[in-house]
Amino acid sequence: MTESRKVGRSEGRKAFALAMLLLVLIAGCKQKAADAAPKSDKADSSQATASTLTLPVVGQEVRKGDLILSVVTTGQVRSEAMSVLKSETQGTIAAVLVRAGDRVRRGQVLLRVDPRPLDLAVREAEANLEKARLARLDNTGPDSIVTGRAITGERLKNAEIR
């Protein structure tokens, strides 16, 4: 006999044994159900044992593989922790670096803000600071180039405040 015939027969025997086991279990269940039924009179009990329940049994060859079952249900998904995000600045978001549902760590960059408006604001502030320094220098400089004496007293205080 070839090896494939031996395997085919053993699988057929397994299927047959499984079908026989199923029939024995069904018969045992029917017997337990008949024993558990209340016996009010003799006629009812004789009819209960006389009635037969037949279930269609189909034999299939056994095959090896994964059993895939799907379960459809509804529910709620909640995170372990929730954090409130606060921005230290305002502006247009240039890039989002994480996706919904991703795990994040403390200090991790989540998004990037377009830096151009912020760079312009810094340059403008630097220009205003330089302008104020020049104005202070003008206000605290000597009155005359000839004498070369610096201003003193109340005029110096006013110049510093401005």
Side-chain angles (χ1 to χ4, degrees):
M1 236 184 260
T2 65
E3 188 65 33
S4 62
R5 268 190 169 166
K6 286 181 185 178
V7 172
R9 284 187 181 178
S10 70
E11 287 178 1
R13 287 182 184 146
K14 287 178 186 176
F16 180 75
L18 184 62
M20 292 304 294
L21 179 64
L22 185 61
L23 286 174
V24 169
L25 288 174
I26 291 171
C29 288
K30 283 196 292 183
Q31 182 63 32
K32 286 181 183 177
D35 291 344
K39 297 182 179 180
S40 58
D41 60 348
K42 294 279 185 180
D44 289 341
S45 64
S46 65
Q47 286 177 352
T49 57
S51 68
T52 59
L53 177 67
T54 58
L55 295 175
V57 177
V58 178
Q60 292 278 333
E61 281 195 35
V62 177
R63 61 185 164 110
K64 187 175 183 178
D66 294 334
L67 177 64
I68 299 173
L69 299 174
S70 346
V71 177
V72 179
T73 186
T74 58
Q76 293 181 345
V77 177
R78 295 181 189 225
S79 65
E80 293 175 9
M82 189 176 262
S83 297
V84 177
L85 298 178
K86 294 181 182 177
S87 175
E88 294 178 2
T89 185
Q90 61 183 355
T92 305
I93 296 173
V96 178
L97 304 175
V98 293
R99 299 169 88 186
D102 285 354
R103 284 188 181 269
V104 293
R105 295 177 314 279
R106 181 180 295 222
Q108 179 180 349
V109 177
L110 304 178
L111 54 91
R112 295 204 191 284
V113 177
D114 185 13
R116 290 177 291 185
L118 301 173
D119 289 341
L120 287 174
V122 168
R123 287 183 186 160
E124 186 178 335
E126 287 173 344
N128 287 338
L129 178 64
E130 191 59 34
K131 188 175 175 183
R133 281 186 187 147
L134 288 174
R136 182 178 143 256
L137 219 92
D138 282 346
N139 290 335
T140 59
D143 284 339
S144 167
I145 297 177
V146 176
T147 61
R149 288 184 287 163
I151 59 170
T152 59
E154 197 168 311
R155 188 168 168 205
L156 182 62
K157 283 183 188 176
N158 288 338
E160 288 291 330
I161 290 172
R162 281 188 235 155

